[in-house]
Amino acid sequence: MDESRRSFLKGIGVAAAAAGLGCTFPLLRALASSGTPAAGVQTRQLCMVIDIEKCLNEDLIKDCTEACRIEHNLPGGESDPERQIRWMWTQKFEHTFPDQAHSLTPKELRGEQVPVMCNHCTNPACVKVCPTKATWKRESDGVVMMDMHRCIGCRYCVVGCPYGARSFNWHEPRPHIKNIRPEYPTRMRGVVEKCTFCAERLREGREPACVEAANRITEGAMTFGELSDPNSKVSALLKTTRTISRQNALGTGPNVYYIV
Amino acid sequence: MSKGIIIAGLIVFLIVATFPVWYTSAAGGSRPQPEPPARDAKVFEGKEYRCVEDKVYMTGNHMQLLDNWRNLVVREGERFYTSEAGEQYEMSLTKTCLKCHPERDRFCNKCHDYANVYPTCWNCHVELNGNEPKGN
Amino acid sequence: MSDTRQDRITNHLTRPIIKTGRAYYGTLVLLVIAVIWGLIAYIVQLTRGLTVTGMNNNVAWGMYITNFVFFIGISHAGTLISAILRVSGAEWRRPITRVAEAITVFALVLGGIQILLDMGRPERALNVIFYGRLGSPLLWDVICISIYLLSSLFYLLLPLIPDMGILRDNPDIKGWRKEIYRLLSFGWDGNPEQKRRLEIAIGIMAIAIIPIAISVHSVVSWIFGMTIRPMWHTTILAPYFVVGAIFSGIAALILAMAIIRKVYKLEDYLKPIHFRFLGVLLITMTALWFYFTISEYLTAGYGGLSEEMHVLSAKLTGEFSGLFWFMVMSMTIAFIALVFFRSKHAIGATVIASIFIVIGMWIERYSIIVPTLTNYAVPSHEVRIYYPSWVEWSITIASFCGFVLLYFIFVKLFPIISIWEVEEAEEALGEKIEVIKDYMPGKTSATTES
């Protein structure tokens, strides 16, 4: 009896150890995949420089946002503005740069509509909190990407992003898309999406849709390029003009700059 | 007495377990016949296309291939796939696969319905003819 | 003599299991209806998406996450209280430990479900394991809460073993229930070796569970604390949440005890003195809660960072002031009831205080989560206040009913007061006298040497 009990206990021990090892495997795997890009390594980083003055033009803004909407099959006509899917939109100067506008800034200046989008931060708050790496910073060009196939819809990134750049698909988006452009997929309900600097166009060597649309109306309204390249147009602009970025003090390192 | 119960139970079990097999054949089910692309569907811009890999491989492994493409495109930012035969293809469901297989009802769904699998591709990806997608 | 006393205790404590009144079934039906209603609401949410909630891209988390934090908080009743009381050898714990431990397990189950309810694509939940990123605080929660659930389940089952033996040998119990008891008694026959091993196991678990419980509510707070949102990104959040958790946990425990003693006529087991002692703990926690709250709000208000001031003024004087001051008032009433009326009306005072504390703590969770998200610093359109929809209300109410339902079923199947531990109290009597003698000058005994 004692002998059989001992072998029984042994069996249980082996089974428990096996189960324990089995459980650690996904943990180890998770640990291995949790790395953020090594600090100090200069990786490529795409960035955008927006000229606020040149963008004070309703037609230009309309063309930009419309180009983005068509390009990515964004649903429109949402009755609740807070549930609108938006990759690019405008908001008041004082809300965009709360630490730049003060109580004596003239009302007109405070109310100026500034185009905003995902900042593709160097240290993105959304990427830090994502539990599944459904959003991540692409090392090849610094774009903060989204994988709609993997997103579980927990909305932690929506909560984590201080710029309001992320939208959640509260309902089925398709019925709200006017003309579906078959070349680009729509999204399914329950996932988060945002601007990807038009990753699908970048892949083909083209500029983002909004930049193209804006510059068609006013040359130089938006400039897109590589920050890590000292000879690029954006680098030159950043060197020679007075630029600001959104809520710099938060330490996220936004990569969309504004010429004031 | 319990012998009878056991045998009866076994018979019931066998009937239930083999239900899918004989039900399908009784219902006139046969091997699915996905429509091969028409000859002219394979020619674009003067160039004739072959499927990225051979038929046998695609039948068995298209799901892994597509899954792999998806990860390479979305996560690694890559664009082209080099086939076994050494040809380059853009890794895109819409721009590559659908060129020859534009209608999923006549191709994809033939087998998917038969195998009772409902992949969620079409929840987001769009058929080229712009049909408002329905169901799976 | 001792035998008849033991028999009497066993009789009293197994009575709820053996005899079931009509009121029980009535309540059961009501609870089941409420849960089914919640399920219907959830099916509506599944088919139409989270659009049926009141949430939006600014306030992207609402009632479900509030419930999550609240339930995890309530779960600290249990294990932590019972473990601390066990470790510190508080003899009066004996009749209340299981009441507390059961709260823990069921509150954790309901808390975990809240996260699933909140997800946009719940069918992908396992991505958290397949593709988990340990850098995300959400994953810390998945790990800590899983460990906590497993260990508190274990900690609930361990002390059940001897009681399962008692019930297994009860001639009035037959059928499938007897089978359950036979299985869960793990061959218990009460021999000294079994007792010794059980004591060791319970002792280890009681110690292990304290850091686990603290880690759990710390990582829950870090879901918020690790972001850079105003009034969330503060170092006080983890201890504030842990204190709040134990606080609401004790209150929930008192409510459960009061109901059980009334319904099952266990006045002789859950006595006023138990409520009085728990009341003392509750006073301490109320004081701590006030201390943390004042510390947090004073720091934010005095510093006056404009981002934080937006949220702070929304709470103190703005849209959320009603909720905020109701919470403060609840805690004040609880404190007054506890301090001034506890000694005369032990049960009445602690129960009233507990009701206010449980409600107040739910509001506290809500007013930590929602005002910050209402996004005063960077409003994309205009500030809009979040109101939960009928779906959220239904699911929330169903969740609470589900919690009570689980508890109800548990009470029917297992003795809610630990039979063997109460019986053992008499044996402990002698030990206690020895221990007290040890405190006194001029005496050395075996216990101090070892």
Side-chain angles (χ1 to χ4, degrees):
Chain A
M1 140 103 201
D2 224 349
E3 200 44 49
S4 71
R5 169 179 242 157
R6 189 164 296 143
S7 64
F8 170 71
L9 285 177
K10 228 184 234 168
I12 287 194
V14 170
L21 280 177
C23 293
T24 20
F25 177 70
L27 257 182
L28 288 176
R29 192 175 147 168
L31 193 60
S33 66
S34 69
T36 39
V41 180
Q42 183 61 45
T43 42
R44 278 186 71 204
Q45 175 66 58
L46 293 173
C47 87
M48 196 181 286
V49 180
I50 296 174
D51 192 321
I52 296 181
E53 288 283 330
K54 288 181 184 165
C55 286
L56 290 175
N57 174 347
E58 274 179 38
D59 291 337
L60 183 142
I61 294 298
K62 210 174 141 235
D63 275 20
C64 279
T65 43
E66 197 60 12
C68 178
R69 204 179 62 74
I70 294 170
E71 173 76 23
H72 305 111
N73 285 327
L74 298 187
E78 176 63 67
S79 58
D80 181 351
E82 295 301 344
R83 283 194 176 172
Q84 181 69 57
I85 305 282
R86 37 168 211 238
W87 287 28
M88 190 214 166
W89 72 102
T90 62
Q91 60 186 33
K92 287 179 188 166
F93 180 84
E94 62 169 329
H95 292 153
T96 313
F97 305 103
D99 35 8
Q100 300 292 332
H102 50 76
S103 56
L104 296 179
T105 309
K107 218 174 173 180
E108 310 82 69
L109 283 179
R110 275 195 272 163
E112 278 178 359
Q113 290 292 319
V114 181
V116 288
M117 64 192 80
C118 170
N119 282 297
H120 296 275
C121 303
T122 305
N123 181 23
C126 52
V127 168
K128 270 196 210 167
V129 297
C130 179
T132 59
K133 218 181 175 193
T135 190
W136 74 100
K137 192 159 178 68
R138 194 155 73 181
E139 276 176 65
S140 58
D141 54 9
V143 171
V144 175
M145 287 292 289
M146 251 323 285
D147 185 347
M148 319 289 175
H149 303 108
R150 188 180 286 184
C151 175
I152 60 170
C154 69
R155 306 190 294 294
Y156 200 174
C157 56
V158 180
V159 166
C161 172
Y163 303 108
R166 293 177 156 268
S167 312
F168 181 72
N169 282 281
W170 298 95
H171 45 67
E172 209 60 66
R174 271 201 184 160
H176 302 275
I177 307 170
K178 266 182 222 143
N179 295 307
I180 296 181
R181 198 175 74 90
E183 290 76 23
Y184 198 82
T186 65
R187 264 69 58 194
M188 72 205 304
R189 185 221 308 150
V191 296
V192 173
E193 60 180 275
K194 67 170 197 76
C195 158
T196 61
F197 268 169
C198 284
E200 77 287 353
R201 292 168 70 105
L202 296 180
R203 194 161 51 233
E204 297 168 358
R206 296 195 289 160
E207 290 203 308
C210 56
V211 176
E212 211 178 87
N215 290 340
R216 215 177 291 139
I217 292 193
T218 312
E219 185 54 40
M222 290 181 174
T223 315
F224 185 77
E226 199 162 311
L227 188 65
S228 28
D229 172 9
N231 301 319
S232 68
K233 238 159 110 188
V234 278
S235 297
L237 264 179
L238 289 170
K239 250 178 249 161
T240 53
T241 47
R242 215 179 283 272
T243 52
I244 54 174
S245 61
R246 290 178 70 190
Q247 288 179 288
N248 221 354
L250 292 178
T252 47
N255 284 307
V256 174
Y257 297 87
Y258 294 87
I259 301 175
V260 279
Chain B
M1 194 202 98
S2 65
K3 210 184 200 175
I5 293 176
I6 289 172
I7 289 171
L10 274 176
I11 290 170
V12 170
F13 169 77
L14 277 176
I15 292 172
V16 172
T18 55
F19 177 80
V21 178
W22 56 260
Y23 176 79
T24 320
S25 46
S30 54
R31 282 177 61 87
Q33 298 293 336
E35 283 179 32
R39 181 114 197 104
D40 59 331
K42 294 187 188 175
V43 184
F44 291 105
E45 291 146 13
K47 191 178 164 209
E48 187 169 333
Y49 278 80
R50 274 187 301 159
C51 199
V52 284
E53 299 292 353
D54 67 70
K55 197 173 151 191
V56 177
Y57 179 86
M58 289 309 284
T59 314
N61 301 307
H62 65 279
M63 39 306 219
Q64 285 90 342
L65 182 106
L66 286 173
D67 190 46
N68 197 24
W69 279 15
R70 176 180 87 179
N71 284 334
L72 287 174
V73 172
V74 178
R75 304 196 73 86
E76 314 296 334
E78 287 180 28
R79 194 177 171 201
F80 293 105
Y81 171 78
T82 314
S83 68
E84 286 286 305
E87 282 183 74
Q88 271 210 337
Y89 294 90
E90 178 161 5
M91 291 187 281
S92 167
L93 178 73
T94 328
K95 291 182 202 159
T96 305
C97 309
L98 292 193
K99 273 194 173 157
C100 301
H101 310 290
E103 280 174 79
R104 73 186 142 106
D105 275 343
R106 294 165 69 179
F107 188 71
C108 316
N109 288 358
K110 284 268 154 101
C111 293
H112 290 167
D113 286 346
Y114 177 77
N116 204 23
V117 290
Y118 300 97
T120 51
C121 316
W122 307 105
N123 284 355
C124 301
H125 294 271
V126 190
E127 281 177 286
L128 279 180
N129 57 19
N131 276 351
E132 189 45 42
K134 46 203 173 287
N136 59 66
Chain C
M1 162 71 204
S2 154
D3 263 5
T4 52
R5 184 182 158 275
Q6 279 203 359
D7 286 347
R8 216 179 48 238
I9 292 176
T10 310
N11 265 339
H12 279 157
L13 297 181
T14 50
R15 202 170 42 204
I17 299 175
I18 293 164
K19 287 203 182 104
T20 305
R22 204 172 286 160
Y24 179 86
Y25 288 112
T27 321
L28 200 68
V29 167
L30 285 180
L31 290 172
V32 170
I33 290 174
V35 171
I36 289 175
W37 176 247
L39 282 178
I40 293 171
Y42 184 59
I43 289 169
V44 170
Q45 183 182 303
L46 272 185
T47 43
R48 295 193 45 210
L50 285 164
T51 183
V52 298
T53 67
M55 293 184 272
N56 58 51
N57 286 335
N58 266 348
V59 189
W61 284 348
M63 230 173 171
Y64 299 144
I65 299 291
T66 306
N67 293 340
F68 161 71
V69 180
F70 179 78
F71 272 123
I72 304 288
I74 290 291
S75 80
H76 280 47
T79 313
L80 193 51
I81 299 308
S82 126
I84 289 176
L85 295 183
R86 262 206 185 108
V87 169
S88 60
E91 278 301 321
W92 56 277
R93 72 165 198 273
R94 290 177 182 276
I96 66 174
T97 47
R98 187 157 308 144
V99 182
E101 288 152 15
I103 291 181
T104 299
V105 173
F106 300 135
L108 277 177
V109 170
L110 266 300
I113 289 175
Q114 300 300 317
I115 293 287
L116 286 176
L117 294 176
D118 192 61
M119 278 169 52
R121 301 234 60 98
E123 79 278 12
R124 294 184 186 165
L126 285 181
N127 279 6
V128 168
I129 290 162
F130 296 145
Y131 306 111
R133 256 189 83 246
L134 279 185
S136 168
L138 221 52
L139 219 77
W140 308 348
D141 276 66
V142 171
I143 294 168
C144 288
I145 293 175
S146 310
I147 294 174
Y148 189 35
L149 180 59
L150 283 178
S151 50
S152 49
L153 193 62
F154 191 49
Y155 186 61
L156 171 70
L157 290 179
L158 267 184
L160 258 178
I161 293 174
D163 283 1
M164 294 294 92
I166 293 172
L167 286 173
R168 174 198 58 200
D169 301 337
N170 190 317
D172 294 337
I173 296 168
K174 291 184 185 72
W176 59 275
R177 286 216 272 191
K178 203 179 186 73
E179 275 305 300
I180 294 180
Y181 299 141
R182 200 181 55 76
L183 270 174
L184 287 178
S185 61
F186 297 102
W188 177 266
D189 57 20
N191 71 51
E193 181 59 14
Q194 283 183 335
K195 271 193 179 155
R196 195 183 63 86
R197 290 189 180 184
L198 184 69
E199 291 289 352
I200 293 173
I202 293 178
I204 292 172
M205 282 313 291
I207 291 170
I209 214 141
I210 295 173
I212 294 176
I214 290 174
S215 81
V216 164
H217 226 75
S218 299
V219 296
V220 166
S221 86
W222 287 337
I223 290 184
F224 310 101
M226 292 297 146
T227 66
I228 41 176
R229 303 299 289 261
M231 301 290 285
W232 279 6
H233 189 60
T234 147
T235 52
I236 206 174
L237 220 61
Y240 192 23
F241 269 46
V242 172
V243 163
I246 301 174
F247 186 34
S248 58
I250 300 174
L253 173 61
I254 288 177
L255 291 181
M257 282 165 56
I259 295 168
I260 288 165
R261 108 189 257 278
K262 198 95 219 146
V263 171
Y264 293 116
K265 310 215 166 34
L266 294 173
E267 284 92 345
D268 201 26
Y269 294 85
L270 300 168
K271 292 179 168 179
I273 189 165
H274 295 113
F275 289 84
R276 206 150 51 228
F277 283 166
L278 282 175
V280 175
L281 277 178
L282 212 46
I283 292 177
T284 319
M285 298 317 291
T286 323
L288 261 177
W289 183 86
F290 270 110
Y291 169 63
F292 273 88
T293 306
I294 291 168
S295 171
E296 161 72 353
Y297 286 82
L298 182 66
T299 310
Y302 196 93
L305 289 174
S306 62
E307 258 203 329
E308 294 198 329
M309 286 309 282
H310 283 300
V311 181
L312 190 66
S313 58
K315 289 199 205 186
L316 297 184
T317 54
E319 297 86 344
F320 297 99
S321 55
L323 279 176
F324 181 83
W325 291 110
F326 183 81
M327 167 186 88
V328 172
M329 188 200 70
S330 299
M331 302 312 186
T332 313
I333 292 176
F335 192 69
I336 291 171
L338 287 169
V339 170
F340 295 107
F341 300 98
R342 184 181 45 93
S343 41
K344 270 199 183 145
H345 314 278
I347 298 176
T350 51
V351 164
I352 287 173
S354 297
I355 292 172
F356 276 106
I357 289 167
V358 167
I359 297 172
M361 281 309 293
W362 191 90
I363 293 174
E364 193 232 40
R365 295 347 190 164
Y366 186 89
S367 65
I368 283 176
I369 294 166
V370 175
T372 290
L373 285 177
T374 306
N375 209 346
Y376 292 91
V378 195
S380 42
H381 290 272
E382 58 204 56
V383 173
R384 217 195 57 196
I385 306 303
Y386 155 79
Y387 294 105
S389 71
W390 70 271
V391 173
E392 287 166 289
W393 279 109
S394 305
I395 291 180
T396 298
I397 292 166
S399 299
F400 282 92
C401 290
F403 171 71
V404 178
L405 180 65
L406 286 175
Y407 213 94
F408 241 62
I409 296 169
F410 181 82
V411 172
K412 244 330 108 180
L413 286 177
F414 304 100
I416 193 62
I417 292 176
S418 182
I419 302 171
W420 69 280
E421 282 181 277
V422 172
E423 282 174 355
E424 211 187 51
E426 199 139 300
E427 291 168 33
L429 220 54
E431 272 173 40
K432 275 283 141 164
I433 292 171
E434 286 307 306
V435 172
I436 293 168
K437 275 186 189 158
D438 282 355
Y439 300 152
M440 295 196 264
K443 187 169 182 293
T444 31
S445 76
T447 16
T448 41
E449 297 304 325
S450 66

